[in-house]
Amino acid sequence: MGSPTGPQRQFPSGAAYAEALQHTRLCFQHPDLKGARAELTGLGLPRAVSGAFASVFSLTSAASGQRYAVKCFTRHVPDQEQRYEAISSRLALLDPAGLSQPWKLGFEYLTDAVRVGNDLYPVLKMDWIDAVTLSAWLDAHHADRSAVSGLADRFEALTRDLSAHGIAHGDLQHGNLLVVSDGTFRLVDYDGMYVPALAGLGGTERGHRNYQSPLRGSDDFGAELDRFSAWVIFLSLKAIAADPALWNRLHEPSGEFLLLTEEDFTSPAGSTGLRTLLAHTDRTVSDLAEQVRSLAFQPLELLPPLARAVPGPRTSATASPTPPAAGPTAPGAGGLPGWMSGHLAEQPATTPATPVTASPDGFHTRTALDVVAVVLWCLALMATLLLPLVLPLAGSPAASPVLVAPLALAATATAFARSRRTERVRSRADLAALTKQLAQVGDPVKAAAKLRKERTKFEAAETHRQAAYPRAQDELTAQYHAALKDTEQRRTRKLRDIAKKIDGLSEERRRALAEALADKQSAYVQAQLARRLVAQSPPHGVGPKLVARLADEHGIRTAADFTGYRTVQNSSYNSTGAVLVLPGGHRADVRGIGEAKAAALVAWRREVIASAVARQPTTLSSAEQQPVEQNIAHRRDRLTTRRTAVESEADTARTQAKKRLEEGRGQLARENTTAGGRARRQRQEFSRRTAEIQQSSALHGALTVALEAARSRQSGLTYARYVRFLFSGR
């Protein structure tokens, strides 16, 4: 018949595939699979390893003897063929020589490959690999610290391969990481893999819950999918390599995790496993644990890839319900249809109304009144025959009433006797009772139509409510993720600003120390200028009188008392003179000092400055540096305190967002539970009414038949039948 089509295509169960694979020569057409030998269970059935979306069987080709893993899908996956084609094409481009290890497996997506019943379904034919899961390998080798450490390095290399090619597996976990005998990995289960060609499509799964970020949502589908799970697995491997006892301490036999579970990421404060790793004496382990704790609260797009941010030893790793469909009616409790099971509350046994006992057919057993009626008829007939012979008025019109009177009397007596017959009384009572019962029962057809209309409306409302519940949950989750993302962005922005300011403190310290030294040097030069008297070593051309005039008239005694000179035009003598410039900007016009002597004074001052600069201090003492150091240390402390406050604010915001999410989910769950209870009671009411209608329908039919029979029987109790009964006895 071909393969079923449609977006909601139904797939067989794993058991149905196992039954079909007992006859691989019939169910397969592919030459590698036709007639292949399936690995069997102890019961002789093909052995299946079942997951959420598929069952995997081991088949050995009859043609080549090669062993394959054949994945048979049990659930609809949107765009399945397109996804596998894109994944296959991308993996085919990878050069094995450029990979850290041969982790990729060959596979082939086969459409309409296996026949189950009358329909064909797709399968995924994969190369078989003899290997064990990561958790099984750790069970056997966790005490070998060197081997576990090497495996951690190869896992890091595997994630680097994926990241370098823009690929994400989508469900990195112990069951999809197989370890072969040479200690290298093989990656299996590509159902949820992301490759660049699939950008824009949504994800098909959310990955194993014990390896995924709490913030991973249904819409997350990109190259960053593996980042959180990669950190989790790498942390586990490095921790076991550092301390093999952690495997038996934190791992549970057959547990679906390595060292940490979903609860460790969603509630790190109450996590025994994460607290153990955070407090571990090995710095690599504690740093990696802190990294995982931090990443659990960050959106996927902000997570660093493992290959770019693996912390080394002694270094910080801190980074920035639908009701069942009605089926065929089957006997159930109380004789109800099978689909009512679970919907109809236990009802007390009810006794349906019983139709009245049917009256007997015809007339039976004459009574005294019947005999009187017969006698009267006989007398009336005799009178009718004899009266014309004895009466003189016979033949005249006046004789007619006399002749008719006996017959009328007999007829009236007969009518009276008929009305007194038990059969007539019972027949009338039966008709009245049946008519009344039928009116009380009502029309079951109308009742059923009304119930069907109410139930259709109810189920439509329930379908809408049940569809709205997960949407409301997703909306709450989206709001939570948006709040976390906004919190993380604000935290990152503030921390980046604080880090920038902290980094700038070194430059500010350098500038402050340089300014302090410059001030110290300037003060030293100024002190030297103030000590150098003009009178001690006057410049050439400046005699004692000019020196005295400079001191007495203008207060210029040292090299510090003037800064330079300005030329001025002497209009009286049509010549150029000079004035000395004082430190405050004022000018001093000194008699006897022209431009040449002023220039000589300034040159002398420059020599004094040069001599002072040559001897000025080049360093600050500890006491002189202390104010600068204290100021910088104070500002660093304030920035560090602010950084701690930012982290605290972010934690508070996350806690509040989590609280809002939990409160919202709790409210939704309570409302959904209440609505579900109402729906359950309503379905029970519908089922009760259905049972009543079934009983009513049966009673209505019985009453209708009884009423028709009663009417038929009454029609047999006519006057003529009664007269015949009077004379014939039947």
Side-chain angles (χ1 to χ4, degrees):
M1 292 178 63
S3 60
T5 60
Q8 298 302 322
R9 174 181 180 182
Q10 298 297 315
F11 283 82
S13 64
Y17 280 118
E19 183 177 356
L21 264 62
Q22 293 182 80
H23 311 285
T24 56
R25 190 170 297 280
L26 299 177
C27 68
F28 288 116
Q29 293 300 318
H30 192 281
D32 289 335
L33 303 179
K34 187 177 181 64
R37 185 176 69 258
E39 181 181 355
L40 304 178
T41 66
L43 298 176
L45 294 174
R47 184 185 304 278
V49 177
S50 297
F53 293 88
S55 291
V56 180
F57 299 86
S58 171
L59 296 176
T60 302
S61 173
S64 63
Q66 186 172 351
R67 192 176 182 187
Y68 297 99
V70 177
K71 174 175 285 190
C72 300
F73 300 96
T74 56
R75 287 178 59 184
H76 171 73
V77 177
D79 310 308
Q80 186 178 67
E81 185 172 356
Q82 175 189 353
R83 291 174 184 273
Y84 274 113
E85 287 177 354
I87 294 169
S88 177
S89 299
R90 186 68 185 92
L91 295 182
L93 296 177
L94 301 183
D95 181 9
L99 300 178
S100 63
Q101 55 207 295
W103 51 263
K104 67 169 184 170
L105 297 181
F107 69 91
E108 184 179 3
Y109 183 83
L110 306 175
T111 59
D112 296 342
V114 60
R115 182 178 297 278
V116 179
N118 295 323
D119 296 320
L120 293 171
Y121 298 90
V123 301
L124 194 68
K125 181 172 73 74
M126 303 171 287
D127 293 340
W128 184 269
I129 185 70
D130 288 318
V132 297
T133 63
L134 176 58
S135 57
W137 188 91
L138 287 171
D139 273 333
H141 301 90
H142 64 272
D144 189 342
R145 300 174 63 175
S146 176
V148 177
S149 179
L151 195 68
D153 293 339
R154 283 186 287 277
F155 174 75
E156 185 272 330
L158 167 59
T159 64
R160 189 167 58 246
D161 288 345
L162 293 171
S163 180
H165 294 92
I167 299 172
H169 180 270
D171 189 18
L172 283 183
Q173 45 114 329
H174 65 274
N176 292 332
L177 288 164
L178 304 185
V179 184
V180 296
S181 57
D182 63 356
T184 58
F185 282 102
R186 299 295 183 272
L187 195 56
V188 299
D189 192 2
Y190 302 160
D191 291 350
M193 180 172 281
Y194 169 84
V195 295
L198 296 179
L201 293 181
T204 60
E205 60 185 55
R206 298 181 67 175
H208 197 297
R209 64 184 185 88
N210 288 331
Y211 294 83
Q212 298 304 320
S213 166
L215 303 188
R216 179 172 176 178
S218 301
D219 295 332
D220 288 320
F221 189 60
E224 70 282 355
L225 282 181
D226 293 337
R227 292 182 179 177
F228 184 82
S229 49
W231 281 103
V232 171
I233 295 170
F234 189 75
L235 162 62
S236 299
L237 292 174
K238 281 296 187 182
I240 296 168
D243 185 359
L246 289 172
W247 179 251
N248 291 325
R249 182 179 176 185
L250 299 181
H251 180 75
E252 296 177 2
S254 302
E256 290 296 307
F257 62 96
L258 296 180
L259 299 183
L260 300 176
T261 67
E262 180 185 33
E263 289 71 22
D264 296 310
F265 314 139
T266 56
S267 303
S271 161
T272 301
L274 192 56
R275 285 208 310 268
T276 299
L277 299 180
L278 286 168
H280 202 277
T281 55
D282 188 287
R283 182 67 178 276
T284 299
V285 175
S286 60
D287 283 350
L288 281 169
E290 174 59 30
Q291 176 78 323
V292 169
R293 186 203 66 79
S294 174
L295 297 182
F297 295 99
Q298 299 183 31
L300 264 63
E301 62 267 28
L302 299 182
L303 303 187
L306 178 63
R308 296 182 186 174
V310 177
R314 304 285 179 183
T315 62
S316 175
T318 303
S320 48
T322 304
T329 301
L336 298 177
W339 61 267
M340 290 187 182
S341 299
H343 296 295
L344 180 62
E346 185 176 348
Q347 301 288 336
T350 57
T351 303
T354 305
V356 297
T357 304
S359 57
D361 295 331
F363 298 100
H364 305 278
T365 311
R366 293 190 186 94
T367 64
L369 195 56
D370 296 330
V371 173
V372 171
V374 171
V375 171
L376 287 176
W377 273 110
C378 292
L379 293 175
L381 290 174
M382 289 176 61
T384 302
L385 294 175
L386 295 177
L387 282 177
L389 299 177
V390 298
L391 290 177
L393 297 177
S396 67
S400 295
V402 176
L403 295 176
V404 173
L407 293 176
L409 178 62
T412 301
T414 301
F416 176 76
R418 173 174 170 268
S419 67
R420 305 295 295 176
R421 286 292 303 188
T422 304
E423 293 87 349
R424 286 275 298 172
V425 174
R426 289 181 59 186
S427 178
R428 285 194 298 270
D430 286 352
L431 281 173
L434 288 170
T435 302
K436 182 179 181 181
Q437 287 186 26
L438 199 57
Q440 290 175 345
V441 169
D443 188 348
V445 176
K446 292 182 179 179
K450 180 181 179 182
L451 176 61
R452 187 163 52 250
K453 183 177 180 180
E454 291 180 12
R455 189 161 201 155
T456 300
K457 182 178 179 180
F458 165 78
E459 293 297 349
E462 268 301 284
T463 299
H464 176 75
R465 181 188 70 80
Q466 291 171 352
Y469 179 59
R471 286 199 301 269
Q473 287 181 313
D474 290 343
E475 183 177 351
L476 281 176
T477 303
Q479 293 173 356
Y480 172 62
H481 291 170
L484 289 183
K485 184 175 182 179
D486 181 65
T487 298
E488 187 59 30
Q489 288 175 342
R490 284 188 282 107
R491 168 187 169 275
T492 301
R493 183 173 61 254
K494 291 179 180 179
L495 290 181
R496 185 166 52 244
D497 292 343
I498 292 172
K500 185 176 180 180
K501 291 178 180 179
I502 290 177
D503 291 342
L505 289 178
S506 298
E507 177 61 22
E508 291 188 29
R509 173 183 175 275
R510 185 194 64 77
R511 286 200 303 268
L513 291 174
E515 290 173 0
L517 179 60
D519 291 343
K520 180 179 180 180
Q521 291 174 335
S522 176
Y524 175 82
V525 171
Q526 285 300 117
Q528 294 300 312
L529 290 175
R531 291 176 184 172
R532 191 69 175 269
L533 298 174
V534 178
Q536 290 179 345
S537 56
H540 178 73
V542 179
K545 290 182 178 181
L546 282 178
V547 171
R549 191 177 299 146
L550 285 170
D552 296 338
E553 296 180 4
H554 301 283
I556 300 174
R557 295 180 177 81
T558 68
D561 295 332
F562 69 99
T563 59
Y565 77 95
R566 295 280 183 90
T567 59
V568 294
Q569 190 69 29
N570 191 336
S571 58
S572 300
Y573 299 98
N574 194 23
S575 62
T576 301
V579 294
L580 296 178
V581 180
L582 304 181
H586 297 289
R587 299 177 182 180
D589 188 1
V590 183
R591 287 183 298 108
I593 295 183
E595 183 178 2
K597 292 180 180 180
L601 281 169
V602 170
W604 170 77
R605 185 177 185 275
R606 288 197 189 102
E607 290 176 358
V608 174
I609 291 174
S611 175
V613 168
R615 300 190 308 275
Q616 69 183 0
T618 57
T619 59
L620 295 172
S621 66
S622 298
E624 292 168 333
Q625 292 183 25
Q626 186 175 6
V628 174
E629 298 290 358
Q630 287 178 341
N631 180 50
I632 295 298
H634 176 66
R635 293 178 61 189
R636 188 184 300 276
D637 289 342
R638 288 175 57 190
L639 288 171
T640 301
T641 301
R642 178 57 185 152
R643 182 170 59 189
T644 303
V646 168
E647 291 286 4
S648 179
E649 290 169 1
D651 287 340
T652 301
R654 294 189 196 103
T655 301
Q656 292 174 345
K658 184 70 172 179
K659 182 180 180 181
R660 289 194 298 271
L661 175 65
E662 291 174 348
E663 289 176 348
R665 284 178 172 173
Q667 180 66 22
L668 279 178
R670 288 190 295 273
E671 292 174 355
N672 188 62
T673 300
T674 302
R678 287 196 301 266
R680 185 167 54 256
R681 291 190 294 273
Q682 184 60 60
R683 288 194 176 95
Q684 291 174 350
E685 175 62 16
F686 284 145
S687 299
R688 184 191 63 78
R689 289 171 60 187
T690 300
E692 286 183 352
I693 289 173
Q694 289 175 340
Q695 294 176 351
S696 175
S697 179
L699 180 58
H700 188 278
L703 289 173
T704 301
V705 171
L707 184 60
E708 291 300 322
R711 287 171 178 166
S712 176
R713 286 190 295 273
Q714 189 178 42
S715 67
L717 301 177
T718 60
Y719 189 91
R721 287 285 301 274
Y722 179 63
V723 172
R724 189 183 71 177
F725 164 72
L726 289 178
F727 291 95
S728 66
R730 54 187 176 81

